[in-house]
Amino acid sequence: MKSDSPTTAKTFHVKSFGCQMNVYDGERMAEMLGAEGYVAAADGTDADLVVLNTCHIREKAAEKVYSDIGRLKRADGSRPTIAVAGCVAQAEGAEIARRAPSVDVVVGPQAYHRLPDLIARAERGEKAVDLDMPLASKFGALPKRAGGQRPTAFLTVQEGCDKFCTYCVVPYTRGAEISRPFADLIAEARALVAGGAREITLLGQNVNAWDGADDKGRAIGLDGLIRELAREDGLERIRYTTSHPNDMTDGLIAAHGEIDKLMPFLHLPVQAGSDRILAAMNRSHSVESYLKIIERVRAVRPDIAISGDFIVGFPGETEGDFQATLEIVRATNYAMAYSFKYSRRPGTPAATMDGQIDDAALNDRLQRLQALLNEQQQAFNAATVGRTTRLLLERKGKLDGQLIGKSPWLQSVHVIAPGLKIGDMIDVRVTSAGPNSLGAERLVEAVA
């Protein structure tokens, strides 16, 4: 039950785990609670309401939720109202009730627009659970975007997945692929820009599967949406993630060479370098088709940074299959990439496949893969030393006058720039490179 609050307004804290879409969902829940009169708590541990917005992609991420629930009990025995939202809620609603009876609200990622009603039910003493996955979009029920946004913002344009990769829970926790209407996205983007956003990252489980009709009724894909957003005054940068190789259309590839505001960065997961393993994963693309996409994108935008995702130790993966993954990494030459050990997720086809790999082999392969990926990332960063580029300042650094921003290639860049503020855009020259960030010097006094 909720503890007594010393102030009139109830306070809340939203803690999001996992992907960028969860970050977006967490921001929308915070805006929704604010519209209901809640105030963000200065210290999350002292909030009247805590929302744990969860991720179910990996086992450790799910287990962390239960640890966090346990830590919410205070020294005096009281606790906040606890809501578990997101993909763990969707996948493990009954398990949450069994393992964590202190949880008051359980709400899935397609139903969080009903969170205020669920909280009211919990305050009446009910166990409030909503795991509905309606066909109608939740977005129309959410409040309009609030002002005062950071200089970078997320915008979910597409949710759900129809790909059914055999290792993945997303189709079961987020549902079928749904594209948000064009007009709604343009309106939300304009609100974000009006609130101070200069860079918007378009989000989706398969973001490049987005399709819709523009304001003239013409059918367009993600490239058409990007082209329309690029016309917005005040919006300086556009990114998108996460994309699927099968949805990299000719128009989207061409957009990378034609739209200046579309940043030279592409996150395109391949997951493995063996066609046999890709088929077992139901990835529906081959090594050859993936490499051809990379070649075509680089042809239209030679300076593009390529990012990817990898899973090592998928059931049945041999040392030869793993060596094929190392080969596709060498062939692609990534600027950065995410790599994980295969995590058996209940309810997915891969969880019951023969040939599950032991932990020792998983750890060994992950270390070898990450060593190669780290080497490539460091080489990419080192190659930018001496380059002049534009920097969007996003947060303060640890040193006096230091600010940190992102390069067009999504690298963190530190620069001493006294007198400037978050949200400014400046020209810099890269002077140093580390494994995870760059150092730079400011070139001119003019600020955009």
Side-chain angles (χ1 to χ4, degrees):
M1 301 299 295
K2 178 181 74 60
S3 64
D4 292 336
S5 173
T7 60
T8 301
K10 296 177 182 178
T11 59
F12 75 92
H13 175 66
V14 179
K15 182 176 182 179
S16 292
F17 303 80
C19 69
Q20 292 162 317
M21 290 189 70
N22 261 21
V23 174
Y24 173 89
D25 288 345
E27 290 174 350
R28 300 312 312 272
M29 282 188 272
E31 291 168 357
M32 183 168 49
L33 292 169
E36 293 289 321
Y38 283 80
V39 176
D43 181 355
T45 61
D46 200 32
D48 296 309
L49 166 69
V50 174
V51 181
L52 300 176
N53 186 29
T54 62
C55 173
H56 200 252
I57 292 297
R58 303 194 59 75
E59 183 178 7
K60 287 184 179 179
E63 288 301 315
K64 182 171 174 55
V65 175
Y66 293 106
S67 297
D68 275 27
I69 291 169
R71 285 194 290 269
L72 289 174
K73 186 175 181 179
R74 302 179 181 122
D76 64 0
S78 68
R79 61 173 178 82
T81 297
I82 302 173
V84 176
C87 292
V88 173
Q90 187 70 44
E92 301 185 15
E95 181 71 359
I96 291 170
R98 183 185 71 81
R99 290 184 58 177
S102 60
V103 171
D104 303 288
V105 174
V106 179
V107 59
Q110 302 296 15
Y112 69 73
H113 57 291
R114 295 195 277 262
L115 183 59
D117 178 62
L118 293 168
I119 294 168
R121 286 170 52 191
E123 290 177 342
R124 295 195 297 267
E126 301 177 35
K127 286 291 183 181
V129 178
D130 192 338
L131 304 178
D132 192 18
M133 299 179 74
L135 292 176
S137 173
K138 68 193 172 198
F139 294 98
L142 296 173
K144 292 184 178 181
R145 297 308 302 263
Q149 299 291 329
R150 297 181 298 275
T152 62
F154 294 133
L155 173 55
T156 292
V157 303
Q158 178 273 340
E159 276 202 294
C161 183
D162 295 341
K163 302 296 190 288
F164 287 93
C165 298
T166 55
Y167 54 81
C168 186
V169 298
V170 167
Y172 313 103
T173 59
R174 290 274 183 171
E177 288 182 357
I178 297 175
S179 295
R180 294 183 61 192
F182 172 86
D184 292 357
L185 295 174
I186 297 299
E188 186 169 336
R190 286 173 177 165
L192 290 170
V193 173
R198 305 191 74 175
E199 174 181 298
I200 291 178
T201 300
L202 309 179
L203 300 180
Q205 264 83 35
N206 289 309
V207 65
N208 52 342
W210 183 88
D211 62 8
D214 66 11
D215 54 1
K216 295 182 175 60
R218 298 172 298 193
I220 59 172
L222 185 65
D223 60 297
L225 176 62
I226 291 171
R227 291 176 192 279
E228 187 65 28
L229 290 173
R231 298 188 180 98
E232 293 296 323
D233 292 336
L235 180 58
E236 304 293 337
R237 292 177 162 187
I238 301 169
R239 303 182 189 271
Y240 65 91
T241 194
T242 290
S243 48
H244 193 285
N246 279 17
D247 296 314
M248 285 299 297
T249 63
D250 293 344
L252 187 55
I253 291 172
H256 279 280
E258 296 170 356
I259 303 174
D260 291 339
K261 290 185 179 181
L262 180 57
M263 292 296 95
F265 184 91
L266 173 62
H267 182 66
L268 190 65
V270 63
Q271 304 297 2
S274 161
D275 282 340
R276 188 180 71 84
I277 296 299
L278 289 174
M281 290 177 166
N282 195 36
R283 283 294 290 172
S284 64
H285 63 82
S286 66
V287 171
E288 181 181 10
S289 65
Y290 178 86
L291 291 175
K292 283 184 177 178
I293 292 169
I294 300 300
E295 181 181 0
R296 292 179 62 199
V297 173
R298 281 179 166 150
V300 300
R301 189 67 195 256
D303 69 334
I304 197 163
I306 303 296
S307 172
D309 289 348
F310 291 91
I311 295 172
V312 301
F314 186 82
E317 181 187 76
T318 65
E319 176 63 23
D321 293 322
F322 174 70
Q323 288 296 327
T325 293
L326 296 181
E327 284 304 311
I328 200 171
V329 171
R330 295 186 185 101
T332 303
N333 194 18
Y334 291 92
M336 62 174 292
Y338 303 96
S339 54
F340 309 94
K341 295 182 291 186
Y342 167 72
S343 179
R344 188 186 294 196
R345 308 312 295 133
T348 60
T352 57
M353 287 182 177
D354 294 333
Q356 301 287 331
I357 309 298
D358 64 80
D359 285 343
L362 285 172
N363 291 330
D364 173 67
R365 289 175 188 176
L366 183 63
Q367 289 176 12
R368 285 188 281 161
L369 173 60
Q370 289 183 340
L372 177 57
L373 291 172
N374 290 340
E375 178 184 316
Q376 291 187 347
Q377 180 171 326
Q378 291 182 39
F380 182 85
N381 286 346
T384 61
V385 173
R387 180 179 290 180
T388 298
T389 189
R390 195 84 166 141
L391 196 63
L392 173 59
L393 301 176
E394 297 182 15
R395 66 185 192 276
K396 293 182 179 179
K398 295 180 180 179
L399 305 178
D400 289 342
Q402 186 183 62
L403 290 165
I404 302 171
K406 286 290 194 309
S407 76
W409 306 278
L410 206 62
Q411 301 150 302
S412 290
V413 184
H414 299 70
V415 60
I416 301 297
L420 297 187
K421 63 184 185 301
I422 293 170
D424 286 339
M425 294 191 74
I426 61 172
D427 292 321
V428 299
R429 178 182 293 110
V430 179
T431 57
S432 63
N436 300 307
S437 63
L438 306 176
E441 61 181 9
R442 185 179 170 193
L443 286 182
V444 294
E445 294 300 317
V447 177

